[in-house]
Amino acid sequence: MEELRFSIDEEKYDDRHGQVLSLGGWYAGSDRQEMSFCLVGDGNQELVLADPERYERPDVAQALEADFGEFLPGFRLRIPKADQLAEQFQQIELFLTDGEKRVSVWKKSADELKSFLNQSLLEYHLDRVEILYDTMLEIQGWAVDQRGETEITALNQDGSPIACRISRGRRPDVVERCSLDESYKNQEIGFRISASLDEISGKKILLKFTGSSVEKIYEIDVQKLRKEQKPKGFFNRLLNRQENTQGDYEQWLKRHSLNRRQAWKQKHTSFDRKPLISIVIPLYCTPLPYLKELIESVRKQTYGNWQLCLADGSPDENVHEFLKKNYRHEVRISYKKLKSNGGISVNTNKAMELARGEYLMLCDHDDTLEPDALFEIVKAINDQDADVIYTDEDKVSMDGQHYFDPHFKSDFNLFRFRDNNYICHIFAVKRQVAEQAGYFRKEFDGSQDFDFIFRCCEKAEKIVHIPKVLYHWRCHMDSTAADPESKAYAFEAGRKAVEEHYKRMGIPAKVEMTERPGWYRSRLEIQGNPMISVIIPNKDHTEDLELCLSSMAKRTSYENYEVLIVENNSEEKETFAYYEKLHERYPRVRVLTWEKEFNYSSINNFAAEQAKGEYLLFLNNDVEILTPDWMEEMLGICQQKEVSIVGAKLYYPDDTIQHAGVVLGLGGIAGHVMCRASREDAGYFGRMVSVQEISAVTAACMLVDACDFRAVGGFDESFRVAFNDIDLCMKIRDIGRKIVFTPYAELYHYESKSRGLEDTPEKQYRFEKEITRFREKWEDQLKKGDPYYSPNLSVTEGDCSLRED
């Protein structure tokens, strides 16, 4: 017994299921023999105990440098009716015994035990404490009281309350992780606190957690936190830039916001159609200052035919009293006090029941609108007969003083939307379409907008994107964008929303979460077993070709493909000797011979005529395959309705991006977006890691539906060297078919970086005729701009930075 070592490293109390005190720890004697526990009251009364749960403790074995063999040193002991023991005895003591001797391993007096049990009734945890943008403090966590609900308040050092936003929500992730019972799943045990730093008077703040019978205080040193954390501007986070560009965007926003002259003109514009726009907003414990900002932003609209529909699930009458006092004469506001809080979906549906408008518009209860938001929506309805309309947005700090994170979006991009809800705000939909789609569904709470937008877009005939920042999303921790880690249940609901969308569309697919919360990967099921013909032009460079073919043979999991090598005026004897052994080494390979002068378009058209495949995969000879399922990934997408071409993600040898899609108009004609960015860079709002419709992709790795390729006449042979792949994409889009980029088909492209893009002055001079030809052929499209790239982003830089005026 002298060599016995032990530790009690876990004490828990479950008041809800038998008042059970659990003690967890470990013990180990020199003989590695199992011992017994003995619980004694007041030093002489032995109490009955159930056998403990025993388990391995690798950490203990490592710390003691011991081999326990079959001995299990870990234990968890359950002591029921612990509250009664604290009343019955003055002292409780736990012993370990070998039958002859015993050693005390845990002891508490009655007062100590009562205090511990009482303190254990209330438990809390802070997941995140952070200062954002040097303007606001944000705190996220959870709190559980075993006998009721927990009230949370934020106080200054002097005890005065801090004006802040405290929101509550469900935390199924905590319930699962902490093994809480099922009743907690629907309780709002999570909390998020957002406070402007201007509202904090001292160096520290106090968080007070008040339960049914206990109160706890947690201190946060705000001054220390400010020193440790630097401001996080949008471009600093997203593009890893060193300079602070927040001010640049705010200046940009001022220049592009509505001025007085424009506002007067809009107010006096007469539309043929003047639909009533019903803005539907669910309310729950909404801070009145934020609600006031929202209402005033609606009242300042230059288009006046609106209805504000408010469904209030708050437990108090604060909003009702506020509206009666301040807006009793505003007949355009419709308010309903709900009997109970049904959750976001139920409450939103209640707000929709108030709506009389031809169009419904979604809005959060603490965000704000630009004064021309409704005008632009109604203009889109009149000009384009839009069924669904969405706009660009940014974020606004809690105090309403700073604007950041502008999201300049693509025109409607279904593949991109399947990866992540990029549409978000503003979203407006024709009432008839919403009724056909069905309103909000409670089972998708947390991602209810995502599910609703999917169903509306499936029914809509005309979806219009307005490329203007017309919505300001107040950035607090109740926002999924500002607080991604705390909404695991919401992201699972989002995954189900995508999955349900595929089922409705009749598309066999599996949907997975990714490392980025709220982003999803779709694995589309291959239909049949179509042959893919891989076409590779080659002139000498057998080392490059060998790496390409060997990596394809080793890493490609898809089996039904052939490879056509198009010999193009090689000069080295070794090249032809290499060709002679190719079929023996790679049975799928055939060598074709092009006997005319070099013309990239003609060479590939020549090979396409002899290809057996239903799909043509144009491939450079200087690429190396990285992902085994690259063909399946591209093929699954290319088989989708209206898709004709799929492009891959290509890297330079130093793991920077060579190709992740082509933007029309970038560099004057067309250029690779985010070229030379890091391989790990997610890009502007996840652009580099999302499957998405796009204007064009490079033929260095391009999968094309063979029927569509022939329907448009293949490559235009007047483009001998440059722009032939971009031109092919333009022709495909011209017949109403889609081009898609996937980041999940990855290859190295050993093209020299010094060669650069096809938009440098040197290249433009070298290929002057082809540039002129392309510009003349696609003049209208170039003037309109790339629908998948915002007109607010630079076309001189490929980094998605702000476009200079």
Side-chain angles (χ1 to χ4, degrees), residues 355-384:
R356 303 187 306 273
E358 184 182 347
Y359 283 80
L360 307 176
M361 180 182 133
L362 305 183
C363 186
D364 287 346
H365 61 173
D366 51 4
D367 299 337
T368 61
L369 307 176
E370 280 289 296
D372 53 337
L374 296 185
F375 177 90
E376 293 292 346
I377 289 171
V378 173
K379 188 174 185 297
I381 293 170
N382 278 267
D383 293 349
Q384 303 182 62

Side-chain angles (χ1 to χ4, degrees), residues 532-538 545 549 562-567 588-592 604 606-613 616-617 619:
I532 297 175
S533 294
V534 183
I535 297 174
I536 308 175
N538 185 69
L545 181 60
L549 294 176
E562 63 171 354
V563 181
L564 307 181
I565 308 297
V566 190
E567 157 52 31
R588 302 177 191 271
V589 173
R590 287 190 285 150
V591 178
L592 309 177
N604 281 287
F606 164 72
E609 291 175 0
Q610 302 182 57
K612 300 176 182 177
L616 308 174
L617 204 168
L619 199 67

